[in-house]
Amino acid sequence: MSTVCLIPAAGAGTRLAAGRPKAFVDLVGQTILERAVRGVLDADVDAVVVAVPADLVSEAQALLPDCHVVVGGAERSASVRACITAATASFDVDVILIHDAARALTPPDLFRRVVDAVRAGAPAVIPGVPVTDTLKAVEPGGGGERVVATVDRSVLRAVQTPQGFAPDALARAHASGGHATDDAGLAEAAGIPVTVVPGDLMAFKITTEWDLRLARMLLESTGVR
Ligand code: C5P
């Protein structure tokens, strides 16, 4: 039985405005995608399936000879489903991880924490970190936005990846063919209990130019190649 990690990397990455899909942007001598895959393989994951835009399949396969590369879909959830189909056809899987390529600096310990929780019996496991800012709910008004309420941040978690699933739970979560910003959202909608384990600040998502600068600084300051 094996642990397989699915990496949806087929987004356009328009918020980064780097001129090419985010996963293929350089991050200190390697693409964001290569760095993400390296983190996965350092965590003793047995196989990696990556979804990329159709015109980048050959480039991705050349960069990632140890990975199975598939064509992604129009939405993140569709890209994940393309990876699930490939993974379940090729491997005898007991834990499926789903990891955003954009969380390229995720430490191996976080992968292990999520896998251990699935192996301990949780059908769906996500990493979460406490929210530090004060949060306000707003609505349009007053020529801009108007505060409706201050939200109790003590019950909130900012959710990261890798998200881990027992294979049957993930199949049930995606059976609806629905779309969500993460896979746990589909699991919740299917009535599957979702367990939160402590996340890691290094698993932040590279979304904006600011995040990319931060990732470069972190890599350069630790001398990682
Ligand atoms: O847009 P966002 O940053 O939330 O995307 C999260 C992840 O999903 C990224 O790694 C992105 O490449 C991936 N994605 C995908 N297929 C899409 C859209 C996003 O694989 N159609």
Side-chain angles (χ1 to χ4, degrees):
M1 293 296 250
S2 40
T3 301
V4 176
C5 185
L6 317 181
I7 303 187
T14 45
R15 286 166 291 180
L16 194 56
R20 63 182 329 217
K22 177 165 67 181
F24 293 82
V25 169
D26 177 78
L27 178 54
V28 193
Q30 288 185 24
T31 60
I32 288 175
L33 178 57
E34 285 171 278
R35 292 222 174 260
V37 168
R38 211 164 122 180
V40 175
L41 294 175
D42 283 350
D44 313 317
V45 168
D46 300 296
V48 182
V49 180
V50 182
V52 300
D55 58 337
L56 289 169
V57 168
S58 316
E59 186 176 334
Q61 194 66 78
L63 287 174
L64 307 167
D66 297 331
C67 297
H68 189 97
V69 179
V70 299
V71 178
E75 312 244 7
R76 183 187 182 282
S77 302
S79 297
V80 171
R81 285 193 276 277
C83 292
I84 294 172
T85 303
T88 49
S90 307
F91 305 102
D92 188 14
V93 186
D94 69 335
V95 178
I96 300 183
L97 297 173
I98 303 176
H99 185 50
D100 289 335
R103 299 182 189 274
L105 304 190
T106 303
D109 274 357
L110 184 55
F111 291 92
R112 295 193 190 102
R113 190 145 67 233
V114 172
V115 171
D116 287 350
V118 176
R119 291 238 159 88
V125 178
I126 60 176
V129 291
V131 176
T132 53
D133 288 323
T134 295
L135 298 176
K136 307 281 185 194
V138 298
E139 65 181 18
E145 290 177 333
R146 180 169 57 214
V147 172
V148 178
T150 299
V151 181
D152 176 10
R153 69 184 177 197
S154 70
V155 299
L156 299 178
R157 296 291 175 266
V159 167
Q160 305 174 320
T161 71
Q163 301 193 345
F165 299 88
D168 60 332
L170 188 62
R172 274 172 56 210
H174 276 273
S176 66
H179 297 289
T181 52
D182 74 347
D183 299 279
L186 295 175
E188 289 160 54
I192 297 163
V194 178
T195 301
V196 182
V197 296
D200 191 306
L201 293 182
M202 287 295 280
F204 70 98
K205 187 165 71 163
I206 301 170
T207 304
T208 63
E209 175 59 29
W210 173 262
D211 303 321
L212 186 59
R213 279 171 58 191
L214 176 63
R216 286 185 173 137
M217 282 166 51
L218 286 166
L219 278 172
E220 281 161 359
S221 72
T222 52
V224 173
R225 298 265 42 95

